[in-house]
Amino acid sequence: EVQLVESGGGLVQPGGSLRLSCAVSGFTFSSYVMSWVRQAPGKGLEWVSGVSETGGTTHYADSVKGRFTISRDNSKNTLHLQMNSLRAEDTAIYYCARRARGQSYNFDYWGQGTLVTVSS
Amino acid sequence: QSVLTQPPSASGTPGQRVTISCSGSSSNIGGNTVNWYHQLPGAAPKLLIYSNNQRPSGVPDRFSGSKSGTSASLAISGLQSEDEADYYCAAWDGSLNGYVFGTGTKVTVL
């Protein structure tokens, strides 16, 4: 059974840092592109970042570029998101998601999410 | 801001057909396949339609997707109470070099 479990969320002050993790199981982690998607309270979905199977290629939304860093540890089946210089508008539930294999760019499995609250 | 535009709400009575539109541009819908996700209250999103009109295993054939030019649509036929959820279209955007979601549509079963 495919499972994605996020952790690391919590309350942080503006300007602070937080590192999210996503532990996966049930599939060959190193064979899949992975992403982070967030959802602010009462708002829609926003793609945050993606990383290639080997970790060599990364993409970021303009809203987080230069502040967030996505990485992966294929030996530990874990995805990370290092978030620095956090702002109030980064408050959201952060989901990790697996990109399905094939030409279509879509996310076939999602974690349950971890809540990040940026507030003083 | 979302670059894919959806109506904020849609509704219907049980058994009716509901359609949700998704408008984009040549850099996203026009040049890439469209996917649809639904999200029940308090739950994580789930993939509903991929590659414009393909259903993942387990998704009822009441759900169908289509795409034409820079627009796409999701149709729900035989509306059921459990279809009450938020629905999002999405696609890769070659200009932004990122994945973009629609603004979301809340479906209400009257």
Side-chain angles (χ1 to χ4, degrees):
Chain A
E1 180 192 6
V2 172
Q3 287 195 322
L4 295 83
V5 180
E6 302 93 337
S7 61
L11 175 63
V12 61
Q13 292 189 338
S17 298
L18 212 55
R19 190 191 196 208
L20 306 184
S21 296
C22 173
V24 314
S25 60
F27 65 98
T28 304
F29 181 61
S30 59
S31 296
Y32 287 85
V33 171
M34 299 295 295
S35 275
W36 289 95
V37 176
R38 69 183 181 183
Q39 186 171 35
K43 302 296 184 182
L45 300 172
E46 179 188 18
W47 175 84
V48 173
S49 181
V51 62
S52 63
E53 295 90 330
T54 63
T57 301
T58 56
H59 295 107
Y60 298 92
D62 286 344
S63 57
V64 306
K65 204 169 291 184
R67 300 186 299 122
F68 289 12
T69 302
I70 190 172
S71 63
R72 63 191 298 161
D73 185 340
N74 286 345
S75 68
K76 296 182 178 179
N77 291 345
T78 305
L79 177 71
H80 299 289
L81 185 68
Q82 177 66 43
M83 304 186 295
N84 298 331
S85 303
L86 282 162
R87 308 165 179 166
E89 53 265 36
D90 295 319
T91 294
I93 296 173
Y94 284 74
Y95 298 99
C96 69
R98 184 184 88 167
R99 180 193 167 182
R101 302 285 294 274
Q103 288 193 328
S104 173
Y105 202 113
N106 65 82
F107 302 121
D108 58 353
Y109 284 94
W110 298 64
Q112 85 291 346
T114 186
L115 177 62
V116 172
T117 303
V118 184
S119 174
S120 54
Chain B
Q1 266 95 346
S2 300
V3 298
L4 304 182
T5 303
Q6 301 177 231
S9 63
S11 63
T13 57
Q16 275 191 327
R17 175 184 170 93
V18 168
T19 301
I20 302 169
S21 62
C22 175
S23 179
S25 67
S26 58
S27 64
N28 40 68
I29 293 178
N32 296 288
T33 59
V34 177
N35 312 293
W36 291 88
Y37 302 87
H38 70 154
Q39 185 179 32
L40 296 172
K46 287 185 67 175
L47 182 64
L48 192 64
I49 296 286
Y50 68 97
S51 294
N52 304 328
N53 54 18
Q54 301 299 300
R55 288 184 304 276
S57 173
V59 173
D61 58 7
R62 303 187 293 105
F63 295 92
S64 61
S66 64
K67 173 186 137 174
S68 178
T70 60
S71 294
S73 63
L74 173 73
I76 309 173
S77 59
L79 194 65
Q80 299 181 5
S81 58
E82 55 260 41
D83 298 333
E84 275 207 347
D86 293 323
Y87 292 79
Y88 297 90
C89 59
W92 181 261
D93 190 300
S95 292
L96 297 175
N97 216 19
Y99 197 69
V100 291
F101 287 95
T103 49
T105 299
K106 184 175 184 59
V107 169
T108 301
V109 181
L110 301 171

